[in-house]
């Protein structure tokens, strides 16, 4: 074999080896793909997704499925370049910068904890929205989520404290608590009446001053709800707030006679607040693909996501535009009645 042939063989082998090594190099991207679906009026691993006790429930058929996005990659398990390239050419996968999912300001554990908390909050809001839609009274209260380090409230107010009054004035909203604090100047005492572990107590805190000069004590609050009966939601390892609307529909369906879907396989997505307003979510393209793969023919789409959804809707999936829980219920009522006049995402 000539020297030239040997040189070409060696060069080719080295080029191939370098290409293989480059393809296996980790890159700071995350691949988002269609995730599993769960029927909110069905079971998962033999257990109802939504369990209600203390109130009459009714059988439901069809499907009201929440949809998810699976991800591959992340700071502790980065994608290799070859996997990222495959994702870039696959229309059902979105390859996004790692920081879009895992901000540099947060650890992986913090991101996971936030997703878990958002799921918990969405379940509370979903239950409140469904009961409000049914005109079932619920009680709201204000509780302490956490206190900021180095602020006057640290060590005085505790997570779980229910704030009932500020300076003797009853409060039932977050704004009312904030207004009570803002009546004071920095350095003045603010007295909170709280329920702590079921017992009433008073906590007096000398107010501080925020960077923008406002009076503050350094407490983060949240609205909590007391429902007249028990609603449990179990979906396993799913995080984030985007299943809120579908939880609400599942609860509503179980608490009302008849079938909300009329036996149709319906999927959807969207955040929800206690008043029933539906908000946008991320990963709409992947969620639609997951819904269609699971057999859904109707997809309840947040109005703010319509523009992106119409560009990537899979064949056989009908988009129905919703902005409130009431919109979704009315659309399903119309669908069950055989109406073809449903609010649709407008074509771009």
């Amino acid at each position: 074999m000539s020297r030239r042939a040997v040189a070409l063989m060696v060069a080719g082998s080295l080029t191939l080896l370098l290409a293989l090594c480059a393809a296996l190099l980790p890159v700071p991207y995350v691949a988002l793909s269609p995730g599993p679906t769960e029927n909110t009026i069905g079971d998962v691993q033999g257990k109802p997704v939504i369990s209600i006790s203390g109130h009459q429930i009714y059988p439901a058929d069809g499907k009201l499925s929440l949809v998810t996005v699976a991800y591959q990659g992340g700071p502790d398990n980065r994608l290799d370049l070859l996997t990222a390239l495959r994702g870039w050419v696959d229309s059902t996968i979105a390859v996004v910068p790692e920081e879009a999912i895992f901000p540099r300001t947060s650890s992986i554990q913090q991101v996971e904890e936030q997703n878990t908390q958002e799921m918990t909050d969405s379940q509370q809001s979903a239950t409140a929205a469904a009961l409000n839609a049914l005109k079932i009274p619920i009680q709201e209260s204000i509780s302490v989520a956490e206190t900021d380090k180095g602020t006057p409230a640290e060590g005085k107010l505790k997570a779980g404290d229910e704030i009932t009054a500020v300076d003797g004035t009853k409060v039932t909203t977050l704004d009312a608590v904030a207004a009570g604090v803002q009546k004071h100047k920095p350095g003045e005492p603010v007295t909170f009446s709280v329920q702590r572990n079921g017992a009433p107590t008073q906590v007096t805190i000398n107010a501080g001053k925020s960077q923008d000069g406002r009076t503050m004590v350094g407490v983060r609050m949240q609205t909590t709800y007391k429902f007249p009966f028990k609603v449990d939601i179990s979906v396993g390892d799913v995080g984030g707030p985007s299943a809120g609307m579908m939880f609400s529909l599942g609860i509503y369906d179980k608490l009302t006679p008849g079938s909300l879907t009329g036996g149709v396989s319906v999927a959807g997505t969207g955040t929800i607040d206690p008043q029933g307003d539906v908000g946008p979510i991320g990963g709409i393209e992947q969620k639609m693909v997951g819904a269609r793969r699971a057999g859904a023919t109707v997809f309840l789409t947040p109005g703010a996501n319509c523009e992106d959804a119409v560009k990537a809707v899979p064949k056989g999936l009908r988009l129905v535009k919703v902005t409130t829980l009431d919109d979704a219920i009315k659309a399903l009522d119309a669908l069950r009645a055989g109406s073809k006049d449903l609010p649709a995402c407008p074509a771009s």
Side-chain angles (χ1 to χ4, degrees), residues 5 31 58 75 143 164 175 178 216 225 232 265 295 303-304 329 347:
Y58 301 88
S143 65
T164 58
D175 289 342
M216 52 78 76
Y225 304 94
D232 285 327
S265 180
I329 293 168

Side-chain angles (χ1 to χ4, degrees), residues 24-62:
L24 297 176
L25 285 175
V27 291
Y29 288 91
V30 174
L32 306 178
S33 58
T37 65
E38 295 291 353
N39 180 16
T40 61
I41 53 176
D43 297 345
V44 57
Q45 296 181 347
K47 179 181 179 181
V49 173
I50 297 173
S51 300
I52 299 173
S53 56
H55 194 282
Q56 183 175 1
I57 60 173
Y58 301 88
D61 60 6

Side-chain angles (χ1 to χ4, degrees), residues 20-251:
L20 289 172
C21 290
L24 297 176
L25 285 175
V27 291
Y29 288 91
V30 174
L32 306 178
S33 58
T37 65
E38 295 291 353
N39 180 16
T40 61
I41 53 176
D43 297 345
V44 57
Q45 296 181 347
K47 179 181 179 181
V49 173
I50 297 173
S51 300
I52 299 173
S53 56
H55 194 282
Q56 183 175 1
I57 60 173
Y58 301 88
D61 60 6
K63 288 184 177 181
L64 285 169
S65 297
L66 64 87
V67 287
T68 64
V69 174
Y71 76 88
Q72 184 179 1
D76 62 345
N77 186 28
R78 280 186 163 160
L79 291 181
D80 58 64
L81 180 59
L82 183 60
T83 302
L85 290 173
R86 287 174 180 167
W88 273 313
V89 298
D90 187 336
S91 61
T92 68
I93 296 176
V95 179
V96 300
E98 190 175 84
E99 288 184 23
I101 309 298
F102 299 96
R104 290 184 179 178
T105 55
S106 303
S107 67
I108 296 175
Q109 181 179 353
Q110 287 173 325
V111 171
E112 291 175 346
E113 288 175 350
Q114 180 180 345
N115 286 337
T116 299
Q117 185 61 53
E118 287 177 342
M119 169 59 77
T120 300
D121 292 345
S122 77
Q123 292 175 1
Q124 289 283 300
S125 294
T127 303
L131 269 57
N132 281 332
L134 291 166
K135 305 293 191 270
I136 297 174
I138 60 177
Q139 295 180 9
E140 296 185 15
S141 61
I142 306 302
S143 65
V144 174
E146 62 180 342
T147 56
D148 294 330
K149 289 184 178 180
T151 63
E154 184 182 11
K156 294 189 175 182
L157 288 173
K158 301 181 181 297
D161 284 351
E162 180 183 332
I163 300 175
T164 58
V166 178
D167 295 324
T169 301
K170 184 178 179 180
V171 291
T172 57
T173 67
L174 300 176
D175 289 342
V177 177
V181 173
Q182 291 302 312
K183 290 179 180 179
H184 293 271
K185 295 179 180 179
E188 292 182 349
V190 185
T191 300
F192 295 87
S193 299
V194 304
Q195 287 282 333
R196 178 177 294 169
N197 299 323
T201 187
Q202 288 193 333
V203 178
T204 300
I205 300 172
N206 290 328
K209 184 169 67 173
S210 65
Q211 291 182 347
D212 60 4
R214 299 179 65 191
T215 303
M216 52 78 76
V217 295
V219 59
R220 297 181 186 270
M221 301 170 292
Q222 61 188 3
T223 302
T224 53
Y225 304 94
K226 294 179 181 178
F227 303 119
F229 49 87
K230 192 173 182 180
V231 179
D232 285 327
I233 301 175
S234 177
V235 288
D237 189 21
V238 178
S242 64
M245 180 183 66
M246 299 310 294
F247 287 144
S248 282
L249 288 172
I251 295 167

